[in-house]
Amino acid sequence: MPDHDSTALLSRQTKRRRVDIGVKRTVGTASAFFEKARATFFSAMNPQGSDHDVEYSVVQHTDGEKSNVLRKLLKRANSYEDAMMPFPGATIISQLLKNNMNKNGGTEPSFQASGLSSTGSEIHQEDVCSNSSRDSPQECLSPFSRPTMSQFDMDRLCDEHLRAKRARVENIIRGMSHSPNVALRGNENDRDGVPCSMSPRDSYRENKRKQKLPQQQQQSFQQLVSARKEQKREERRQLKQQLEDMQKQLRQLQEKFYQIYDSTDSENNEDGNLSEDSMRSEIIDRRARDSVGRSDNEMFDLDPGQFINRARALVREHELAPGNHRKREGMKDKNPFHNIFHPESKHLAETLKQELNTAMSQVVDTVVKVFSAKPIRQLPQVFPPLQIPQARFAINGENHNFHTTNHHAQCFGDVIIPNPLDTFGSIPMPNSTDQTEALPLVVRKNSNDQSVSGPPPGNHHVSLHQSPLSAAASFSSSSFRHPFPLPLMAYPFQNPLGAPSSAFQAKDRASPESLDLTRETTSLRTKMSTHHMSHHPCSPAHPPSSTDGLSLSFIKSECGDMQDMSDISPYSGSAMQEGLSPNHLKKAKLMFFYTRYPSSNMLKTYFSDVKLVVRKLDNQFNRCITSQLIKWFSNFREFYYIQMEKYARQSINDGVTSTEELSITRDCELYRALNMHYNKANDFEVPERFLEVAQITLREFFNAIIAGKDVDPSWKKAIYKVICKLDSEVPEIFRSPNCLQELLHE
DNA sequence: CAAAATCCTG
DNA sequence: CAGGATTTTG
């Protein structure tokens, strides 16, 4: 660095009062990095890539082979969109069902109108749908909303016996298929009319800052905002789609098994397994029998086609087995599934069901985790018409009466989706203050809709030369009610260090510390929200008095639209960190013990995990991240030097005359102050080198002050120059995304 | 002009 | 610790 000893620089010194002259700059070679980021960004935006992402996400959290069959089935199922098509594709399920259809007259079964629940469910659906249709018309256009289904069902329901069976199995399904789609609805009632609740002070501050916010910064923020929003929405959409498909498949498969049970009724009654037992005992029986079934696992790896063949072979094999009490010689083997009368076949059926249920519940669990990860707030008032207290107990409690529980089930076409209150009874639904909504302008991947989003009247300076994405963002953010469709920049609940599972604990009421940390890292978002609110004097985010939810509501309000709640990828684990988390801050602080002047490149490498996902979006975001990291270290230094100066002056006042008397030990006041700042939890062993550097710094300050150099406005510059050379190597362990865990558990 | 450092404020 | 302002640098 020529700066360090530049004589020219020194010659100009008199003109400059800056003290940072001479300290090396952390110049980053950002261009290459950004090019890479751009490439990944576009690849992330193309549909295929996204599909892979989603699929991978699901697979990631299932039990590997256990759901292989199901996944293969779903792969095919994904190809068809129309849920009205009774048995599309060539999946096992459709084959099974086709066969069964021939037998039963081809009526597509539905439980929507079962007994008492029909009208109630439909009404609920109507309400929810009409509410959400304003902003997310696709919700209502989804194949799930079909009011005419009950016609067919009424006929079917004449068969009481069949219905009873259905009820039992359906109860199982209900227990497992927790659809977030339902939960996502209904929160939009409160969005309107949120009173302007910004304190004069805040508004002053906001005005003061918004006016001076560089235009370029605004645009870049909006770009990244919209890009992230779009990705979130896309992820969510695909997740939802997948869930719907799975539910559809599950539903159809269930139907098939009812038919099987019909034909094996007599046997079942003999066994007493499936007669009138409670659901619980049925499940237990099922599991018990499954555990007996031996070769089931082989089937998980089979192709769907192979699977059917295998099943066929299984059935036939059993047919031919001696001692089989049912003779089938007379029956044609055209359709092997007409012959499923054996316990073996039942095993097959049970296994299929079990696997479907398992996979389904796993997928659903991941979705539910997203919701449970949200901070717990009071029970929402957003589902007034849906609040039926008993519903909640039906799931976990003993009430397995289908007719009562199903009463609260949301019926969407041929898929029964439980009432959100059933399944999310203890899980907070964001209330109006947290309202995030489906933006009316759905930003499509192709983003060829620049024309759609013309510059809104109130948007003066953000719409001229911006990308389609940012154009969409500005449009949606300023023309509609939600002022900040902001991306998830730093969600606190996927911290590799913090309490990863705390989100699922009842006490997860966000400890004060975590609140604090959360707030710290919310700044990047607040920066953005500041801008976004500039056109919206009314902030629906939170009333100033809600101290508890200050940071939390910030996060929630900025997480974009309501449906993005489900966008928060549950598959993140610890590897996927969006934005800088409190743990990144902690890590940065620990790194400060080694380096006071990290280069931007160093920061990029040591915090590369931040960009695991983010870099797919755009460069602006990366720049924000890096800038924030640099700012962090700048703040660290500020504190550090302030402490040094303070301590040096204090020592002088205490009569210290020689630097020899100044030493920094681990129990001195200065060390404690620093340790408290950078290592609050005191769970990190501060390296000895830091003590040396601190001591050198202190003595530099001491000498400078003794020499009276502090009259020079830039007297600290020399000290900075010294200190910036004292950086030591940051241990490799800090490169690991999980370095905190490793560091603190050693 | 962008990046980065500091100062200052909140 | 973040925002904003200012300055410096390449």
Side-chain angles (χ1 to χ4, degrees), chain A residues 640-651:
Chain A
Y640 175 80
Y641 288 130
I642 287 173
Q643 295 300 312
M644 290 298 169
E645 181 180 355
K646 194 172 84 179
Y647 197 74
R649 293 189 185 278
Q650 182 179 325
S651 299

Side-chain angles (χ1 to χ4, degrees), chain A residues 629-646:
Chain A
L629 283 168
I630 288 170
K631 178 71 176 177
W632 279 0
F633 275 87
S634 180
N635 285 330
F636 297 162
R637 283 193 298 270
E638 194 171 8
F639 179 84
Y640 175 80
Y641 288 130
I642 287 173
Q643 295 300 312
M644 290 298 169
E645 181 180 355
K646 194 172 84 179

Side-chain angles (χ1 to χ4, degrees), chain A residues 223-239:
Chain A
Q223 283 178 9
L224 77 91
V225 164
S226 53
R228 292 178 57 77
K229 273 181 62 61
E230 184 174 3
Q231 198 211 23
K232 288 289 176 194
R233 196 176 295 117
E234 181 59 24
E235 275 179 19
R236 175 192 54 75
R237 190 189 63 78
Q238 291 184 358
L239 189 61

Side-chain angles (χ1 to χ4, degrees), chain A residues 162-174:
Chain A
L162 177 63
R163 189 174 60 177
K165 284 186 170 184
R166 250 183 222 161
R168 286 198 304 271
V169 185
E170 208 54 46
N171 247 335
I172 298 179
I173 305 306
R174 274 199 346 68

Side-chain angles (χ1 to χ4, degrees), chain A residues 555-569:
Chain A
I555 290 174
K556 278 182 274 188
S557 63
E558 291 172 11
C559 84
D561 45 317
M562 174 60 197
Q563 302 190 353
D564 275 350
M565 304 283 282
S566 65
D567 283 341
I568 308 156
S569 172

